[in-house]
Amino acid sequence: MDAEKKDSEVTVDDILQILGPFGRFNVYNYMLILFPVFLAGVYSSVFNFEAMDLKYRCAIPECDDTTAVSNYTIPHHEDGTYAKCVRYAPFSNVSNFVNNSIGRCSPHYFDTSTEIECESYVYLEEHSIVKEFDLACQDWKRSLVGTVHNAGFFLSIPLTGLISDKYGRRLALVFACVTSGIFGVIRAFSLNYNMFIVLEFLEPAFGGGIYTACFVLALELVGPKGRVFISLLFNTMFILGGVTVTLLFWWLQNWRHLLLIIYTPAIFVFVYMWMLTESFRWFFSKGRYEEGLNTLIRSEKMNNVTVPKEHYNQVEKHAMQQREAKKFENRENNQSSFSQILSSAMIWKRVFICSFLWTSSTLVYYGLSINAIELSGNSYLNYIVVIIIEAPANVCKLIFLDRFGRKRVIAIAYILTGLILINYGFLPDGNWSTVFYLGGKFFITLAYNSLYVFAAEVFPTDYRTTLLAVCSTIGKIGSTIAPQTPLLAKFYVYLPTILFGCMATLSGFLVLTLPETNNQKLPDSLKEAKEQDRRGTKNKEERSETKTKL
């Protein structure tokens, strides 16, 4: 009797525990998956450098290039730099001036009390689209590049999610990578701003789901104990991608060469269709049990471990029972499983909360990165430091999530982000303000990257990618708005960080309404997802009773 009971309780996670998270099979697939993740990190930052602001000034037709920049032709700021978008007007009555370049360029020719907008510009740098497409003093066109780029995710993430759930995780990953590569390479040959901005949208619109597709596939290849470490690997590769593209652009100083170098490798990811392993969980969810079991058996051989044959029988039996139960439940309720998902108040609640958390996270995370370029000092070093601060945050995630639970760690990280960024505005410029800025990036990284693990664990397997895609898509509202936040500083220099702080604080309290998923198996059905809430309620009641007794 006990043996039968034990067998009946065998799940895929039990087999994964025997196989281990870091055998040859796992490492082989992780290495393949991490390369597209690295590319995703590269592509997430590239728009910051394509449309990077340059040094330029008004062209002064009355003067030649050697004498154009002077106190009587162009206004200058208190720090000694010259204005970029205005010049001094020539006097209306110039009949007394000598009609040659020397006379017209004299101090007596310009009215230093009247400023006029520039008609043309002299570019002192030429490494971004600002010079090539003549975007001087059109900051809205520069910030629009990042907004349009991130807006593409509204299409790509649900598209990738649908492909992933219907046709497989592997195909979704390959589709996203290859389309990113194709549109990115074409963008390198843009003839004008309009062509560039359209391709800036199309590249993420079809290929922006790289990270999500990779994450779901990797998550489904490991048991509960390996999920946080896999997330750490993903975050590390993403950071390396951001640092790499920064260093590349710093070295190349040419946006077209940069695009060709970073997007060409993505096209060759099509070979993954023959090299990468499909998720056995996805096979089971589609009723393709033989293919799913073959994947597990291949993993067993490569990892050189032995899994009892009855385990496979029980897993297949369990998967078939779940599938039949879903069909029966669908007939009983006259609803498809997807309709039941949509009619579940619990699922809608989780989708709403996770979507808000995602929106807040992307707004603060990308907003702090983008605004770092505007800080004083070397823009490239600023950006690299703000990216590298994510590394210790990811190590803390690895240590804290399993030890203290998902909810507690993520909620505290959000609230600390909020407190730090709200107080940042009350600090004078200097070392402490820098420490607070980096502290805000540290804690939002901890919260944001932990959210990927947490959100994946609260949705059932059949529609995990789709529901994650919905949350991530809605969350892209934050990253779409983020490139515009530097414009808020024109009204009040600390307004962007105050906005970030308020959003993060509210998110911290919303996290507490979700169930704890630490050391729990992934829910494979709507029923198992609902049991998470019941377990959470039961645990609260038990803790309350214990406190009462004490």
Side-chain angles (χ1 to χ4, degrees), residues 81-153:
T81 59
Y82 288 92
K84 302 173 76 171
C85 301
V86 293
R87 51 164 291 191
Y88 290 129
F91 283 107
S92 57
N93 182 7
V94 296
S95 58
N96 294 329
F97 292 105
V98 179
N99 191 19
N100 57 51
S101 61
I102 298 177
R104 290 167 61 87
C105 197
S106 68
H108 305 290
Y109 184 82
F110 297 94
D111 181 1
T112 56
S113 63
T114 305
E115 297 178 1
I116 59 173
E117 293 183 358
C118 305
E119 295 181 358
S120 59
Y121 302 88
V122 174
Y123 292 92
L124 308 177
E125 297 175 303
E126 54 182 29
H127 47 262
S128 82
I129 64 170
V130 172
K131 177 185 183 298
E132 196 149 350
F133 301 142
D134 196 21
L135 305 182
C137 297
Q138 300 180 75
D139 286 341
W140 69 272
K141 282 191 174 183
R142 288 197 310 108
S143 61
L144 185 63
V145 172
T147 296
V148 167
H149 177 91
N150 290 327
F153 288 95

Side-chain angles (χ1 to χ4, degrees), residues 11-22 26 30 217-231 280-281 296 402 406 453 457 519-522:
T11 65
V12 172
D13 287 325
D14 295 315
I15 293 180
L16 290 177
Q17 188 173 358
I18 297 173
L19 294 174
F22 306 113
N26 307 77
Y30 296 158
L217 176 56
L219 196 72
E220 293 181 347
L221 288 176
V222 297
K225 289 293 184 182
R227 294 175 200 156
V228 177
F229 186 79
I230 288 302
S231 178
F280 44 80
R281 288 184 184 272
L296 287 172
D402 284 337
R406 303 341 187 197
V453 179
E457 293 175 339
N519 289 325
Q520 303 292 328
K521 82 179 193 70
L522 291 176

Side-chain angles (χ1 to χ4, degrees), residues 276-342:
L276 188 61
T277 302
E278 181 57 88
S279 166
F280 44 80
R281 288 184 184 272
W282 179 79
F283 279 133
F284 289 149
S285 71
K286 296 300 177 183
R288 296 163 63 174
Y289 308 115
E290 185 176 349
E291 293 170 274
L293 290 175
N294 286 339
T295 302
L296 287 172
I297 292 170
R298 188 162 67 253
S299 172
E300 176 186 349
K301 291 178 180 178
M302 288 186 67
N303 289 354
N304 196 27
V305 296
T306 302
V307 177
K309 185 177 180 180
E310 56 269 20
H311 279 33
Y312 291 123
N313 295 334
Q314 289 298 329
V315 165
E316 181 178 5
K317 181 180 178 181
H318 178 68
M320 292 177 67
Q321 288 174 342
Q322 277 195 326
R323 193 166 179 82
E324 290 302 316
K326 289 175 188 175
K327 290 180 180 179
F328 176 77
E329 192 174 351
N330 293 346
R331 288 194 297 268
E332 286 287 304
N333 299 323
N334 293 318
Q335 289 181 307
S336 67
S337 57
F338 188 61
S339 297
Q340 290 181 50
I341 288 286
L342 291 179

